[in-house]
Amino acid sequence: MEQDTLAVNTGERRHILGICLLIALFLPHIATPLLLVNPIMCLYLFFTEKRVQLPRSVQLLRILFCGIIVITTAFSINNGTHDSNKYILMGFNILLLMICFPFAGGRAIPKAYYYIALIFIILSQIVYLIGFEPLQLLYEYLYPATGENETRMFNYMKENITFGGIFNFRLAGLFHNPNQASRYITSLVALFLVDYSKERFVSVLRFLIFAFISVLLTGSRTGFVVLFVLAGYYLYKSETISKQVRAGMYILLLFLFLPVAMIAASETIRGLNVAGGMSDSFVFKIQVFADYLGQPNSFLHLLIGYADPSTFRPSDISIIEIFDSEYGNMVYTYGFLGLIINIAFYLSCWRYTIRRGRIFYFMLLWYITSTLLFSYRMCFIFMFMLSHIVSLDRKE
């Protein structure tokens, strides 16, 4: 009787985790009450999920990072000039997730939730490809584009995209920002490969194909690299693939490499043009970071940061005003001390995570070209997933 009850509870908890994942991915943030949902979900999971006992190194680093957030924010409130209080809310959000970490249990999320999420993103991309106006208007109301550049690029894509030129544009679907869309897709793949790495290869391959198509449509070069690394690592480490199948897959990848390289060189498909990404957007991010370091910052600010990334002002008009990278935002907001502690925290989590969960840490490749903790939606998703993998059953 107790075993039956335990099985029911386990099944219910798996579905609760799946529902939380979908809410985190797709809940619109168009009103303040909706922004409260993520903190409420965090607290709900924290008080209802069975939490693992983390090693002292993870606990200490988590406390130190929380301390940096509190000290930097308090110092900035007293000494800084700010356009809004968003930086305080951002700091509180990260602080809550860190204090509650790990708040999500390690039970495998049912496959249906992964497929619902991925297919929902792909369908939203198709809506813009075929120009289905009723759903476009709904997406634009629920998920409005933010920022002048993003709005301009989004409107240009919507007005000019055709099937013939599909790969010359960047389809982000309901998220509007293609890099963000790609980041969510790769996070789904990373967690799916953790939960279902022991499934039949055909079952995993099906999900990877859908994800590859979706990332390709976003035109995100980082997304393509992260997805390729995730798939390659899974192929290398999977125990469900026979030596013959593994060898066949390597041969297939070898034969596919030449045409893919030719397409990338011709810039026909933006998502495959990784070299181009290294020569433009990556360089811009480095320039912004170098510009900040070249400014007359005090030792204290370099150590603990400014707390508010929106206060950054470049020294030259040719340099963009946002860091658009995790490391840049981290150093400016919480200083080099915050950066070191944050990286050490992830490293300690990696060492504690069981072997099949370690594939998820390839998501940290986004540290270079995008944000993880400094994006409100992604912050919860990333910490939710990180909580999930450190909570995996260590008896496996």
Side-chain angles (χ1 to χ4, degrees), residues 167-197:
F167 291 114
N168 295 324
F169 294 88
R170 308 186 66 186
L171 283 166
L174 59 94
F175 295 114
H176 302 319
N177 186 309
N179 286 332
Q180 290 183 16
S182 183
R183 197 177 49 189
Y184 299 135
I185 296 162
T186 52
S187 66
L188 282 171
V189 171
L191 201 64
F192 181 87
L193 291 177
V194 171
D195 278 347
Y196 294 101
S197 59

Side-chain angles (χ1 to χ4, degrees), residues 23-166:
I23 292 173
L25 279 167
F26 302 119
L27 181 73
H29 294 155
I30 55 177
T32 302
L34 295 175
L35 293 173
L36 298 175
V37 173
N38 284 358
I40 291 171
M41 283 199 299
C42 175
L43 291 172
Y44 168 75
L45 293 172
F46 177 75
F47 287 113
T48 59
E49 285 286 328
K50 182 181 179 181
R51 296 187 301 279
V52 298
Q53 185 64 34
L54 294 174
R56 289 184 178 180
S57 60
V58 178
Q59 294 183 31
L60 176 61
L61 289 165
R62 182 186 61 178
I63 293 170
L64 289 174
F65 191 66
C66 289
I68 287 291
I69 295 173
V70 172
I71 293 170
T72 303
T73 304
F75 182 81
S76 187
I77 290 173
N78 291 328
N79 299 279
T81 302
H82 307 278
D83 296 329
S84 71
N85 293 324
K86 287 183 179 179
Y87 74 102
I88 299 177
L89 298 176
M90 177 193 72
F92 175 79
N93 181 56
I94 299 174
L95 188 66
L96 176 65
L97 294 171
M98 280 288 176
I99 290 173
C100 294
F101 181 84
F103 53 90
R107 302 176 185 88
I109 297 171
K111 279 185 188 178
Y113 294 97
Y114 289 105
Y115 276 99
I116 289 170
L118 184 56
I119 291 172
F120 193 64
I121 294 172
I122 294 173
L123 288 177
S124 72
Q125 292 174 296
I126 294 173
V127 163
Y128 283 101
L129 177 61
I130 64 178
F132 189 63
E133 192 170 351
L135 279 180
Q136 285 183 359
L137 293 173
L138 178 63
Y139 289 143
E140 288 160 33
Y141 171 73
L142 296 176
Y143 310 96
T146 57
E148 183 180 343
N149 290 335
E150 181 178 316
T151 303
R152 185 174 65 252
M153 291 174 61
F154 170 70
N155 288 336
Y156 179 78
M157 178 277 298
K158 188 172 65 172
E159 293 169 3
N160 294 277
I161 191 167
T162 61
F163 277 98
I166 183 174

Side-chain angles (χ1 to χ4, degrees), residues 245-270:
V245 172
R246 198 190 310 273
M249 290 299 298
Y250 283 137
I251 293 172
L252 179 62
L253 289 175
L254 183 64
F255 276 102
L256 287 175
F257 176 78
L258 183 59
V260 166
M262 293 175 63
I263 292 172
S266 67
E267 301 186 9
T268 304
I269 301 179
R270 187 185 188 280

Side-chain angles (χ1 to χ4, degrees), residues 21 60 64 99 254 280 329 354 368:
L21 177 62
L60 176 61
L64 289 174
I99 290 173
L254 183 64
D280 46 51
N329 277 291
I354 64 173
I368 303 171

Side-chain angles (χ1 to χ4, degrees), residues 228-245:
F228 183 82
V229 171
L230 286 170
Y233 186 82
Y234 160 75
L235 184 65
Y236 176 71
K237 286 290 186 178
S238 177
E239 299 175 357
T240 64
I241 305 175
S242 66
K243 292 182 179 180
Q244 293 79 5
V245 172

